Amino acid sequence: MVIARASEAVDVDIHVFAEALKPEDRRVLAESSRPVVAVFNKADLAGFGGEGPVAAATARCRQLRDLTGVAVYPLAGLAALAAVDDTVVDEELLDALRVLTTDPADLGSTDRFAATDHRLPRAVRQRLLTRLDLFGIAHGVLALRGGADRAGLMVALRRASAVDGLLAGIGVAAAPARYRRLADGASDEQVAARMAAAIAVVRAAGMTVDDGITASAHLQRAITWQRYSRGPVSRLHRSCGADIARGSLRLWERAGGVAERLP
């Protein structure tokens, strides 16, 4: 089912599934009237061996993308939630993870982790499972054993959960809608906002936009994207090219606006 929207303006539908795409999942993806991003949740259970379950889930996501034409991203949901919400791992759980770095528990299964005798109280181990599951616990212990502090633990969980890849994918899918939603305007702030949104759109399409900050870089960028906007491109990209050129000319003017011979 669709469980989230990318923004209040409903730029993107986010469809979450686990294990496999069912016929009803494929129907939702095919019938969405907005850009849609699919999330392969519980990627930490996608199989072991090789480079690990998330790597296996990533390979499966590529196959599903080719099959459906929709961007599909893996996610280890509990680890991702802990990584983006620093209240999930409270001091009690952080201390428990630290204990596990020197006094390992049985991580072979959730039942064994919760039931096998250990100096951590069973209730604390159950909280760890509820907040992080075995996957998050294992990666948290590895990070702390390697010398990570709380911030380093969050970084490790973000990396392990693949949440940043998903967030980047949502940004790519939402870029055209954000661009279209910006109202026309001529103030420096409005021109800059449209330029930034236009750059996000063309970068999402795989193109490169120079980030130079000198007057000559701004002018060269303006010329490049003005030419692009006059080429055989879609209406959206024609508008984006014009906005990048317009914003670059504003920056060129603010940088001195002195004409010079371009290479």
Side-chain angles (χ1 to χ4, degrees), residues 4-44:
R5 305 292 190 187
S7 73
E8 292 182 0
V10 194
D11 293 337
V12 179
D13 287 345
I14 302 173
H15 183 85
V16 181
F17 68 97
E19 296 183 2
L21 276 178
K22 299 178 177 63
E24 54 267 33
D25 294 315
R26 296 189 188 188
R27 184 167 57 253
V28 169
L29 296 179
E31 295 177 356
S32 176
S33 61
R34 286 174 287 269
V36 59
V37 170
V39 183
F40 180 3
N41 195 20
K42 299 186 179 180
D44 48 302

Side-chain angles (χ1 to χ4, degrees), residues 65-193:
R65 180 196 60 203
D66 294 341
L67 180 66
T68 64
V70 171
V72 186
Y73 297 90
L75 186 72
L78 287 179
L81 180 60
V84 300
D85 181 354
D86 61 9
T87 67
V88 170
V89 179
D90 56 25
E91 287 304 314
E92 180 184 53
L93 297 187
L94 182 60
D95 288 342
L97 290 172
R98 287 173 175 146
V99 168
L100 293 174
T101 64
T102 56
D103 187 3
D106 189 338
L107 293 175
S109 71
T110 55
D111 288 341
R112 283 152 56 185
F113 179 76
T116 303
D117 287 341
H118 193 276
R119 68 187 178 100
L120 279 178
R122 183 171 181 174
V124 174
R125 282 177 279 154
Q126 192 60 56
R127 285 194 69 222
L128 280 171
L129 287 172
T130 300
R131 297 292 182 93
L132 293 174
D133 210 344
L134 292 175
F135 179 81
I137 294 169
H139 280 277
V141 169
L142 283 174
L144 294 174
R145 189 176 289 157
D149 56 9
R150 171 181 280 278
L153 171 65
M154 297 301 108
V155 170
L157 291 175
R158 287 188 79 97
R159 182 170 55 249
S161 69
V163 66
D164 286 332
L166 170 61
L167 294 176
I170 293 172
V172 167
R178 288 199 304 269
Y179 173 73
R180 293 189 182 100
R181 201 169 62 245
L182 285 171
D184 290 329
S187 71
D188 285 348
E189 292 78 12
Q190 290 167 321
V191 170

